[in-house]
């Protein structure tokens, strides 16, 4: 891959096969399957909520990309420091956040993760290791480096994680962050979800090469490039980089190649901020479904049967429906919240 | 006025077309230019008409794109940079504040970047703190930047043309909440940006309302409601925030004795405060019948929750009620 092409990883017609789970911990895989399903169904619910105008603000859905966050989070602990961006529902849920509080946030309710002040694009759940997601592209990347630096100073072996996109690497601050993390040996893990698009623009219109890991190489940071729709591969690569970082050897860079099924923002599948993606293209990528492929891998070894899977799906669907209903009945923040939360020292318990 | 029907968005489109048609040194660069989604109807098909080499959609790189436009301007081009939200251009602040704004002064006035940065105030829709800001006062604080805020369909077209033809760096700030305004416009006549002074959009005797951008629309709507209550409000649209010429404001307030300033930004160190100070400095102390007042945002970032968002943005009702207070009336 030294021409920095993504090769078969960016070719949706390949990598459709069942996930190879030989030698894996089955209980952990079932937990990951559950988490991916929870994220998928939650985002489907949000898509409907947006379509039905129950949600006012923009929602950036990551359906199709679930394996990235779930694979990485399998190697994280609550004392780690995870940061995200505009498309971060999977990032926060994979850290164990409450579905109800995520939904409440997106509906602008006081019970939400950010107490209704941020909506889908500004998520916070620090007690679960999720330090924050914001929609300024790349805005949190240096913050993750700083949180990693703090972890190094604090000496507990924790890491900082920056989730970013293939578009985000076009911001200069990402390159400063990579160099800085490397020079400070900060335990920062850069996770690029390369879904080949930044809003309406394919990566070929924005960058001369497909693989963003070339920026890690330029900064002497170890990197891994994986099929982002294979939770086993994502997890294994994350494990190697995170272990190294925890042991004091500095940052790592994980490029997970994936694809989003919905358009850039909101619930439509057929239109991507003004640019029509071909239905065939999306259709082929759907066959590379990270969930269906994990199920197929488990089925191939007789580790899950249709009944078990159906029961799992029903249970999660019920959970999602319950959380959505609860969030809708929650109260909005009081009007005083408009000005009482500007500084964290004041009014936060109001 | 008879002429061609435009809305605020298509008026800007007409300006882009005029400039690209008549000035080969004009090019446009920024995010979303090949997609109608980010910029409303203000740039539709420009890439198809004038070519993707002159209407350049870019990587997500505000800092480099803006800096490159400054350099291209120094080398004789007339670039128009587009930032579809003002919040995004904060990555470009060095190019704007340290480079573009200072260049002429630093080199003894012998060279300067004539570029226009079109940036959009894109509020509402529960988008929240990082997608809603109106930072015009920041830019107006910086010497060397011209700051333009069109509030009318005519200005959307004509001030964009004047900005691009101006040899200085211009921050041209339009507002998504104005895109549905409609008007008939005559054919384009090129005018110098220097001739764009505050404009009286409605004359009145009791009270002077001063505003810019979307706030001007609020002021006009409030003035119409105030009229029904027997209050005659004069509305002055600033149009250009830097350089700022308060003379006509002083004349108006001398007549009315009452000044209410509306601004879509925050109060502290903001444009409304600047307007009030500039008028008060120039007016005889006993001219004022009431202390001047301002309607601005609460001093907090934009919320997302719909109930909070509704309370956050100044409404016509708020303006009417503030104006009533200046008149010692309950409105
Ligand atoms: C500084 C900044 N510039 C532009 C935008 C508009 N914007 C929002 S998301 C996005 C594309 C980001 O693409 P990528 O990083 O690949 O993430 P993806 O949407 O694919 O998850 C852009 C340009 C923004 N939010 N912030
Ligand atoms: Mg992307």
């Amino acid at each position: 891959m030294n021409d920095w092409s993504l090769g078969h990883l960016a070719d949706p017609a390949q990598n459709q096969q069942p996930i190879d789970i030989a030698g894996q911990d089955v209980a952990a895989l079932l937990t990951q399957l559950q988490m991916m399903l929870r994220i998928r169904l939650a985002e489907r619910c949000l898509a409907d909520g947006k379509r039905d105008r129950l949600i006012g603000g923009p929602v950036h859905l990551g359906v199709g990309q679930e394996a990235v966050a779930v694979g990485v989070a399998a190697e994280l602990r609550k004392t780690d420091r995870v940061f995200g961006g505009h498309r971060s529902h999977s990032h926060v849920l994979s850290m164990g956040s409450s579905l109800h509080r995520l939904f409440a946030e997106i509906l602008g309710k006081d019970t939400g993760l950010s107490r209704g002040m941020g909506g889908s694009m500004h998520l916070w759940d620090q007690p679960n290791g999720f330090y924050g997601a914001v929609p300024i592209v790349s805005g949190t990347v240096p913050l993750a480096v700083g949180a990693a630096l703090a972890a190094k100073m604090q000496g507990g072996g924790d890491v900082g994680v920056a989730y970013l996109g293939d578009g985000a690497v076009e911001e200069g601050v990402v390159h400063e962050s990579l160099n800085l993390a490397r020079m400070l040996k900060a335990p920062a893990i850069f996770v690029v979800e390369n879904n080949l698009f930044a809003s309406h623009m394919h990566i070929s219109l924005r960058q001369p090469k497909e693989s963003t890991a070339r920026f890690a190489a330029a900064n002497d940071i170890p990197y891994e490039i994986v099929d982002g729709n294979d939770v086993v591969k994502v997890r294994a690569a994350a494990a190697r980089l995170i272990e190294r970082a925890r042991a004091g050897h500095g940052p790592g860079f994980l490029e997970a190649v994936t694809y989003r099924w919905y358009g850039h923002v909101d619930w439509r599948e057929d239109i991507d901020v003004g640019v029509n993606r071909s239905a065939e293209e999306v259709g082929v990528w759907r066959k590379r479904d990270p969930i269906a492929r994990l199920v197929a891998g488990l089925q191939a070894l007789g580790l899950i049967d249709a009944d078990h899977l159906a029961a799992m799906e029903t249970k999660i669907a019920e959970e999602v429906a319950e959380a959505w209903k609860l969030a809708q009945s929650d109260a909005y923040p009081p009007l005083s919240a408009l000005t009482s939360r500007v500084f964290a020292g004041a009014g936060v318990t109001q | 006025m008879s002429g061609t029907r435009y809305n605020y968005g298509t008026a800007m489109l007409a300006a882009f077309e005029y400039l690209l048609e008549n000035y080969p040194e004009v090019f446009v660069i920024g995010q979303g230019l090949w997609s109608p989604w980010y910029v409303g109807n203000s740039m539709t098909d420009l890439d198809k008409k004038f070519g993707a080499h002159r209407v350049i959609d870019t990587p997500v790189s505000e800092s480099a794109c803006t800096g490159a436009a400054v350099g291209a301007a120094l080398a004789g081009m007339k670039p128009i940079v587009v930032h579809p939200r003002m919040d995004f251009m904060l990555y470009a602040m060095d190019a704007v504040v340290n480079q573009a704004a200072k260049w002429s002064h630093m080199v003894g006035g012998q060279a300067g970047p004539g570029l226009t940065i079109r940036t959009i105030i894109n509020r509402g829709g529960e988008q929240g703190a990082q997608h809603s800001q109106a930072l015009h006062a920041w830019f107006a604080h910086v010497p060397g930047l011209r700051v333009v805020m069109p509030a009318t369909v005519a200005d959307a077209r004509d001030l964009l043309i004047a900005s691009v033809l101006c040899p200085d760096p211009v921050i041209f700030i339009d507002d998504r909440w104005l895109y549905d305004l409609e008007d008939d416009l005559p054919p384009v006549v090129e005018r110098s940006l220097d001739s764009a002074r505050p404009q009286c959009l409605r004359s009145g005797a009791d009270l002077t309302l001063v505003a810019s951008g979307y706030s001007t629309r609020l002021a006009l709507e409030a003035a119409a409601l105030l009229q029904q209550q027997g209050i005659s409000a004069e509305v002055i649209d600033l149009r250009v925030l830097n350089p700022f010429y308060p003379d006509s404001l002083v004349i108006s307030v001398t007549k009315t004795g009452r000044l209410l300033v509306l601004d879509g930004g925050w109060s502290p160190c903001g444009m409304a405060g600047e307007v009030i100070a500039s008028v008060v400095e120039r007016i005889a102390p006993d001219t004022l019948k009431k202390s001047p007042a301002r309607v601005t945002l609460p001093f907090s970032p934009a919320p997302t929750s719909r109930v909070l968002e509704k309370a956050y943005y100044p409404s016509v009702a708020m303006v009417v009620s503030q104006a009533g207070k200046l008149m010692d009336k309950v409105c």
Side-chain angles (χ1 to χ4, degrees):
Chain A
M1 283 211 199
N2 51 11
D3 66 343
W4 303 113
S5 127
L6 289 171
H8 69 94
L9 291 178
D11 175 2
Q14 299 190 52
N15 303 298
Q16 296 185 351
Q17 71 280 12
I19 291 187
D20 178 4
I21 59 164
Q24 299 294 318
D25 171 350
V26 175
L29 286 179
L30 288 173
T31 307
Q32 288 158 27
L33 175 62
Q34 251 172 348
M35 185 57 91
M36 286 199 283
L37 275 170
R38 176 178 288 114
I39 294 166
R40 170 83 46 100
L41 297 185
E43 292 212 300
R44 292 276 193 216
C45 171
L46 292 170
D48 293 347
K50 184 67 197 181
R51 182 200 58 209
D52 299 342
R53 294 171 193 271
L54 296 169
I55 298 171
V59 282
H60 298 80
L61 301 168
V63 170
Q65 304 188 181
E66 297 88 349
V68 183
V70 172
V72 171
E75 293 298 324
L76 296 175
R77 52 201 196 202
K78 306 265 185 222
T79 48
D80 289 325
R81 301 102 201 262
V82 179
F83 291 83
H86 56 287
R87 198 181 305 283
S88 275
H89 303 150
S90 65
H91 307 151
V92 76
L93 286 176
S94 66
M95 293 302 288
S97 284
S98 139
L99 264 179
H100 162 242
R101 293 199 62 205
L102 173 67
F103 286 163
E105 185 54 46
I106 292 167
L107 290 167
K109 301 302 180 75
D110 205 32
T111 47
L113 288 171
S114 306
R115 307 191 72 207
M117 304 307 285
S120 162
M121 303 199 296
H122 314 77
L123 302 171
W124 181 91
D125 191 3
Q126 198 163 321
N128 275 313
F130 195 80
Y131 274 49
V134 303
I136 286 295
V137 168
S138 305
T140 59
V141 175
L143 278 57
V145 172
L149 177 64
K152 184 183 170 192
M153 291 169 164
Q154 290 154 355
D158 296 325
V159 298
V161 175
Y163 282 107
L164 63 158
D166 51 294
V169 303
E170 291 155 12
E171 298 284 12
V173 68
V174 171
H175 304 273
E176 298 180 25
S177 299
L178 289 166
N179 182 56
L180 187 70
R182 171 64 184 81
M183 291 314 292
L184 300 178
K185 273 199 167 182
I189 307 297
F190 302 87
V191 181
V192 173
E193 288 180 87
N194 188 341
N195 58 15
L196 308 174
F197 277 88
S199 48
H200 59 297
M201 292 249 272
H202 188 262
I203 191 164
S204 60
L205 297 171
R206 299 178 283 114
Q207 296 180 38
K209 300 286 178 184
E210 282 176 333
S211 173
T212 65
R214 66 193 192 278
F215 300 121
N219 286 289
D220 192 33
I221 293 175
Y223 62 88
E224 305 247 5
I225 306 171
V226 298
D227 173 3
N229 289 15
D230 180 335
V231 73
V232 171
K233 291 222 172 75
V234 171
R235 180 177 183 172
R240 289 187 287 271
L241 296 169
I242 291 170
E243 190 181 284
R244 222 185 135 265
R246 291 202 201 284
H249 302 302
F253 188 104
L254 174 60
E255 176 164 38
V257 184
T258 184
Y259 198 81
R260 56 173 161 70
W261 294 5
Y262 285 101
H264 170 66
V265 64
D266 298 338
W267 58 276
R268 302 270 305 255
E269 301 187 25
D270 56 335
I271 187 163
D272 203 359
V273 277
V275 176
N276 290 313
R277 285 186 305 184
S278 84
E280 294 98 281
E281 190 191 332
V282 181
V284 187
W285 272 98
R286 280 169 178 281
K287 296 202 181 119
R288 202 159 141 184
D289 183 350
I291 295 179
R293 283 172 62 205
L294 178 57
V295 169
L298 288 162
Q299 277 171 338
L301 297 190
L303 296 167
I304 193 168
D305 59 28
D307 287 350
H308 183 177
L309 181 64
M312 188 190 273
E313 279 179 354
T314 308
K315 188 162 167 281
I316 294 170
E318 279 167 10
E319 251 180 78
V320 168
E322 187 62 30
W324 181 242
K325 206 171 129 201
L326 188 61
Q328 279 180 292
S329 65
D330 286 343
Y332 288 106
L335 277 186
S336 61
L338 210 47
T339 48
S340 68
R341 295 167 176 178
V342 178
F343 295 105
V348 281
T349 55
Q350 218 171 309
Chain B
M1 190 169 29
S2 73
T4 311
R5 195 77 184 158
Y6 290 99
N7 63 34
Y8 186 92
T10 56
M12 278 184 285
L13 180 64
F16 279 114
E17 286 175 343
Y18 178 87
L19 290 160
L20 286 160
E21 192 93 48
N22 292 291
Y23 292 91
E25 64 272 42
V26 168
F27 71 94
V28 194
I29 183 166
Q31 283 167 56
L33 302 198
W34 299 340
S35 155
W37 191 79
Y38 274 162
V39 290
N41 53 8
S42 66
M43 305 199 73
T44 311
D45 288 341
L46 284 179
D47 54 325
K48 294 181 188 79
K49 246 185 184 158
F50 298 99
H53 63 295
R54 290 183 75 201
V55 179
I56 307 170
D57 205 332
T58 71
V60 196
S61 309
E62 291 81 4
S63 173
C65 289
T66 310
V70 174
L74 290 172
M77 302 298 283
K78 293 189 195 303
I80 308 172
V81 185
V82 177
H83 293 297
R85 277 197 179 82
M86 195 169 238
D87 317 67
F88 302 165
M89 75 177 283
L90 299 194
Y91 275 136
M93 286 304 263
D94 177 72
V96 175
V97 176
N98 282 327
Q99 313 310 335
K102 308 296 194 298
W103 203 268
S104 168
H105 184 79
M106 293 190 301
V107 303
Q110 302 174 94
L115 82 154
T116 298
I117 298 171
R118 176 202 173 192
T119 179
I120 307 177
I121 297 173
N122 195 342
R123 293 170 280 192
E126 299 178 38
Q127 301 177 93
Q130 298 185 340
H131 276 55
S132 309
Q133 293 172 92
L135 299 172
H136 46 280
W138 279 22
F139 297 107
H141 181 67
V142 176
L145 294 178
R146 294 182 184 250
V147 181
V148 175
M149 275 181 100
T152 64
V153 178
D155 277 355
R157 184 190 70 180
D158 296 343
L159 292 186
L160 180 53
I161 294 172
S163 296
V164 175
L165 299 183
C166 171
D168 302 317
V170 180
I171 312 292
F172 178 96
I173 304 168
D174 62 279
D175 194 312
R176 286 293 288 269
W177 284 354
L178 291 173
Y179 280 27
D180 61 326
L181 280 183
E182 289 193 7
D183 202 356
D184 295 321
L185 301 185
V188 171
V189 178
E190 288 183 12
R191 289 196 187 83
S192 160
L193 192 55
D194 284 323
S195 66
R197 299 296 164 95
Q199 191 172 23
C200 180
L201 295 180
R202 178 184 177 114
S203 51
D206 299 331
L207 161 81
T208 303
L209 298 178
V210 176
S212 54
Y214 175 75
S215 298
T216 296
R217 183 176 195 172
L218 276 183
L220 287 168
E221 288 171 14
L225 291 176
L226 288 164
Q227 190 67 56
Q228 292 168 14
Q229 310 204 31
I231 297 170
S232 159
E234 183 146 295
V235 176
I236 300 180
D237 173 30
L238 289 177
R239 305 171 80 210
V240 178
L241 273 51
N242 183 20
F244 171 45
Y245 299 100
D247 298 0
S248 62
L249 277 55
V250 173
I251 293 169
S252 172
V253 180
T254 303
K255 175 177 74 179
T256 62
R258 297 181 180 89
L259 172 61
L260 177 62
V261 186
L262 321 185
D263 186 36
W266 294 294
S267 274
C269 308
M271 197 61 208
E274 182 59 32
V275 168
I276 291 172
S278 301
V279 170
V280 169
E281 279 170 347
R282 288 168 175 80
I283 210 162
D286 55 358
T287 317
L288 288 171
K289 297 177 184 150
K290 274 279 183 186
S291 297
R294 48 188 155 165
V295 175
T296 60
L297 296 177
F299 197 34
S300 63
T304 49
S305 188
R306 65 184 60 172
V307 289
L308 300 184
E309 185 173 74
K310 197 152 176 266
Y312 185 70
Y313 292 110
S315 62
V316 179
M318 279 184 222
V319 178
V320 167
S321 138
Q322 267 297 331
K325 280 188 196 151
L326 284 184
M327 300 301 299
D328 294 314
K329 280 193 177 176
V330 179
C331 292

